[in-house]
Amino acid sequence: MNESPGSIRDYIRPKKLQPTVFWRIAEDIPRPLNTALVITSIGAPLLLWWLVTTFGNIDPKFLPSPAKVMEAFGRLWSTRELLKDTVASLWRVGVGFILAAAFSIPIGVLMGSFASIRALLEPLFGLMRYMPAPAFIPLLILYLGIGEEPKITLIFIGVFFFNSLMVMDTVKFVSKDLIEATYILGGDRKQALLQVIFPHVLPGIIDACRINLAAAWQLVIVSELIAATEGLGRRISVAGRFLRTDEIFVGLIVIGVIGLSFDLFFQYLLRVSCKWTTQKR
Amino acid sequence: MYLQITNLNKDFQTKNGTLVVLKDINMTIKEGEFICAVGASGSGKSTLLRQIAGLDKPTSGELRIDGELITGPGPDRGMVFQHYTLYPWMNVQENTEFGLKLQGVPKKVRREQASYYLSVVGLANFAKSLPKELSGGMKQRAAIARALASEPKVLLMDEPFGALDIHTKESMHEFMLDLWKRTKITIFMITHDVEEAVFLSNRIYALGARPGTVRKEITIKLPDRTHSVKRHSIFHDYRDELMELLRKHGQEAVAVAA
Ligand SMILES: Nc1ncnc2c1ncn2[C@@H]1O[C@H](COP(=O)(O)OP(=O)(O)OP(=O)(O)O)[C@@H](O)[C@H]1O
Ligand SMILES: [Mg+2]
């Protein structure tokens, strides 16, 4: 039967899965290889930077060497300017983000749980989400002046709508069976909300917050480019004006490292608080 | 205790018009009975159980438990679902206690109660395990312990062993009979497995499909309830009769659906 003309076997081109370590899909790689790749990821660009600035003939005003940047870092650190800038930026992000999280998490859970609240808020939030937060800056300056309030409000606007909608989406993954099981066990709606839905979506909430904190961190820098007396964004724009490229690099690196630490912190939080959800692929 | 279902009808409104899922269901379940309802897939078994549990309202007819109209879910009816519904972030002990916690039972009392029922279902050593660490059979036993912990008047089960392999299923059958003898609880179980129904129950309601109606009510009298009874001719007679019923009404259902 297989030999009959026009058999499907004539069309099939056999393939073989070649053994590999590097290209295995959805599987772990050996630890040493992992470590080597992680080091390469950071080390290679650094090395390239060092090579280009050492052996290439490049104006330090255009691209300062790693050593120069370290020097600038030491200078800014010793005058305590860097610390002051960092604290100012962190404070703005902290207040704006915590306020936004405090409102958006409960609202998102309510929107996800109740079709009524979803119908009431989702159209508005969906619209607001597509208005870029920095576009509000002129209005915020008009309404709130140039102090801390407009900066914190900017972060609030930039985080609140996104976070509400992302938290709302996580509630979709709570199975209806689990809620109904709760009613049958004698629970009421409030208990289902607080003792079943909330713990179930907690990992999703932490993840949404992790992603939106990155947005908040970007917005604080943007807000400081406009009007501020201190802050990391302010540091970069001033350094730019005086062509102090090494200080721009210091600012950028500090911003990156702090952002990465936030991210790692949230990943850690997720791992320790929600052990039940870590599944092997 | 008794459960009374009178002239129950259930329709669903769908894109293709009204779908009659349950039609003229009448059932009586008395204290201490082990009742099975068998029917083909799609005959409305889960829908029927949802009405009893109070998760859904009938289109017409009524359901009463101890004479009282069922209007919503409540802890007087325990339920084990077709799919696994343990809370994944709670360990087995916390899952078993959860119903009592929802009803405000003090911590110490509910801890003891849960431990007792975990030992009844043979999971005492797994109290600290998370659901994902349990096998399918263990998950359903934990779900049974959780349902029993509130000491419901009736235990409702929706194809609880449908996803288990034949050997696990057989040991769960022995477990159910033993549990039933020891706790004297009333059980209403739904299944599509005819042998399972004959082996376990006192009485069987055979459901036809589309719409789901009671085709026949059969009282089961077996000489004993060990696995050897499955070779007995009485067992075969019951099984063949039910298979024939389901086959006949199953084919009608396919014809209607086509
Ligand atoms: N909410 C609903 N809306 C519309 N139709 C529904 C709804 N729930 C169930 N049905 C329909 O009712 C019929 C019976 O469904 P049900 O789940 O009760 O069957 P079942 O006997 O439990 O099947 P299975 O053995 O596969 O679990 C099906 O045709 C299904 O499509
Ligand atoms: Mg079903």
Side-chain angles (χ1 to χ4, degrees):
Chain A
M1 190 178 125
N2 281 348
E3 277 70 43
S4 69
S7 159
I8 194 70
R9 298 220 152 263
D10 298 341
Y11 295 93
I12 294 174
R13 254 161 278 251
K15 274 199 269 331
K16 254 216 200 120
L17 266 185
Q18 302 297 335
T20 173
V21 175
F22 201 94
W23 299 113
R24 281 188 301 201
I25 296 174
E27 273 178 81
D28 281 338
I29 51 172
R31 256 221 120 88
L33 178 61
N34 187 57
T35 315
L37 292 174
V38 168
I39 290 172
T40 311
S41 167
I42 301 284
L46 271 178
L47 186 70
L48 192 69
W49 180 20
W50 180 77
L51 286 173
V52 166
T53 47
T54 312
F55 299 108
N57 190 13
I58 290 177
D59 183 359
K61 283 264 174 285
F62 187 73
L63 182 64
S65 69
K68 277 214 110 82
V69 173
M70 274 310 288
E71 210 182 287
F73 179 85
R75 194 169 64 240
L76 290 173
W77 185 257
S78 63
T79 58
R80 315 199 95 236
E81 280 173 298
L82 188 59
L83 191 66
K84 236 168 61 191
D85 288 333
T86 308
V87 169
S89 295
L90 280 177
W91 187 82
R92 285 171 195 139
V93 168
V95 176
F97 181 79
I98 287 168
L99 275 177
F103 285 97
S104 61
I105 291 171
I107 288 178
V109 171
L110 290 175
M111 284 170 80
S113 308
F114 302 103
S116 48
I117 301 202
R118 188 156 61 240
L120 186 68
L121 297 179
E122 198 183 2
L124 176 69
F125 283 25
L127 180 71
M128 293 295 289
R129 170 163 68 164
Y130 280 103
M131 300 183 185
F136 284 87
I137 288 175
L139 272 183
L140 293 176
I141 292 176
L142 188 67
Y143 296 156
L144 300 167
I146 54 166
E148 292 301 304
E149 297 90 344
K151 298 183 183 64
I152 288 167
T153 313
L154 179 73
I155 292 164
F156 185 88
I157 292 173
V159 171
F160 175 76
F161 298 106
F162 266 97
N163 210 45
S164 298
L165 293 168
M166 284 167 74
V167 169
M168 176 188 92
D169 275 339
T170 65
V171 181
K172 283 192 190 138
F173 293 106
V174 184
S175 84
K176 206 176 156 209
D177 280 351
L178 227 46
I179 313 247
E180 289 182 339
T182 310
Y183 294 150
I184 288 177
L185 287 171
D188 56 25
R189 290 195 182 84
K190 193 173 145 204
Q191 287 173 318
L193 198 64
L194 295 178
Q195 297 187 48
V196 176
I197 294 178
F198 187 75
H200 197 292
V201 300
L202 188 60
I205 290 176
I206 293 178
D207 217 37
C209 286
R210 182 174 73 88
I211 291 164
N212 287 315
L213 185 58
W217 192 228
Q218 299 205 353
L219 284 171
V220 72
I221 306 303
V222 171
S223 75
E224 289 167 359
L225 291 175
I226 315 301
T229 51
E230 56 196 5
L232 289 167
R234 162 80 182 164
R235 168 72 37 209
I236 290 176
S237 75
V238 169
R241 214 173 299 152
F242 296 100
L243 271 180
R244 286 201 289 257
T245 326
D246 48 357
E247 290 188 9
I248 297 183
F249 272 75
V250 172
L252 284 174
I253 291 170
V254 170
I255 288 168
V257 168
I258 292 176
L260 182 65
S261 323
F262 281 154
D263 212 84
L264 293 176
F265 170 73
F266 271 93
Q267 286 182 32
Y268 171 78
L269 203 64
L270 194 62
R271 261 207 315 281
V272 295
S273 68
C274 308
K275 285 208 178 69
W276 60 273
T277 186
T278 51
Q279 56 213 161
K280 289 208 189 81
R281 292 225 293 177
Chain B
M1 116 83 216
Y2 68 95
L3 180 70
Q4 180 89 44
I5 304 174
T6 10
N7 301 327
L8 179 82
N9 288 284
K10 180 68 188 177
D11 308 342
F12 285 112
Q13 301 304 327
T14 66
K15 289 193 291 293
N16 308 323
T18 307
L19 178 69
V20 183
V21 175
L22 295 174
K23 194 163 185 284
D24 277 332
I25 305 274
N26 286 285
M27 291 182 178
T28 312
I29 293 146
K30 292 191 288 290
E31 172 102 48
E33 280 189 306
F34 195 145
I35 307 287
C36 279
V38 288
S41 182
S43 55
K45 304 184 297 295
S46 295
T47 307
L48 172 63
L49 213 60
R50 289 175 60 82
Q51 317 294 315
I52 302 175
L55 291 172
D56 209 348
K57 291 216 162 31
T59 308
S60 67
E62 41 174 59
L63 302 104
R64 287 176 185 278
I65 187 160
D66 284 342
E68 214 175 305
L69 210 58
I70 292 175
T71 53
D76 55 341
R77 284 148 289 147
M79 179 141 162
V80 177
F81 285 78
Q82 188 168 3
H83 310 286
Y84 304 132
T85 54
L86 295 174
Y87 302 102
W89 62 94
M90 297 182 200
N91 65 30
V92 170
Q93 172 85 27
E94 290 162 339
N95 261 289
T96 313
E97 277 179 32
F98 192 60
L100 302 172
K101 186 179 172 190
L102 291 172
Q103 294 166 77
V105 177
K107 197 164 187 161
K108 193 164 165 290
V109 182
R110 65 177 197 246
R111 186 133 298 174
E112 272 166 23
Q113 177 86 345
S115 298
Y116 171 72
Y117 279 102
L118 280 180
S119 66
V120 168
V121 302
L123 284 179
N125 290 333
F126 293 88
K128 293 278 175 287
S129 303
L130 286 174
K132 68 172 181 181
E133 295 160 353
L134 302 182
S135 70
M138 288 157 83
K139 278 184 197 152
Q140 288 307 60
R141 278 189 284 157
I144 292 168
R146 184 176 70 179
L148 291 179
S150 300
E151 297 182 358
K153 290 174 180 167
V154 54
L155 180 64
L156 308 170
M157 305 177 91
D158 189 354
E159 296 190 40
F161 313 129
L164 303 180
D165 67 84
I166 183 78
H167 305 291
T168 316
K169 208 174 192 175
E170 283 192 346
S171 69
M172 288 304 285
H173 291 163
E174 277 170 34
F175 160 74
M176 282 311 297
L177 286 174
D178 181 53
L179 179 87
W180 178 54
K181 254 184 253 150
R182 279 197 285 161
T183 58
K184 306 218 160 48
I185 183 154
T186 314
I187 300 176
F188 183 67
M189 179 167 142
I190 269 171
T191 177
H192 60 251
D193 183 335
V194 169
E195 288 206 9
E196 177 173 89
V198 175
F199 185 63
L200 292 177
S201 47
N202 304 131
R203 208 144 48 81
I204 293 178
Y205 288 102
L207 299 179
R210 280 167 222 271
T213 48
V214 178
R215 294 294 176 173
K216 193 148 194 211
E217 184 186 335
I218 304 176
T219 305
I220 306 289
K221 288 209 167 60
L222 292 177
D224 69 275
R225 301 273 176 174
T226 58
H227 285 300
S228 58
V229 83
K230 290 183 186 170
R231 289 194 297 272
H232 211 287
S233 67
I234 303 178
F235 188 90
H236 290 173
D237 291 345
Y238 284 132
R239 185 193 62 195
D240 295 345
E241 182 183 0
L242 280 162
M243 287 296 262
E244 194 50 43
L245 268 169
L246 294 192
R247 190 172 300 130
K248 209 166 102 206
H249 298 299
Q251 273 160 1
E252 278 170 25
V254 171
V256 172

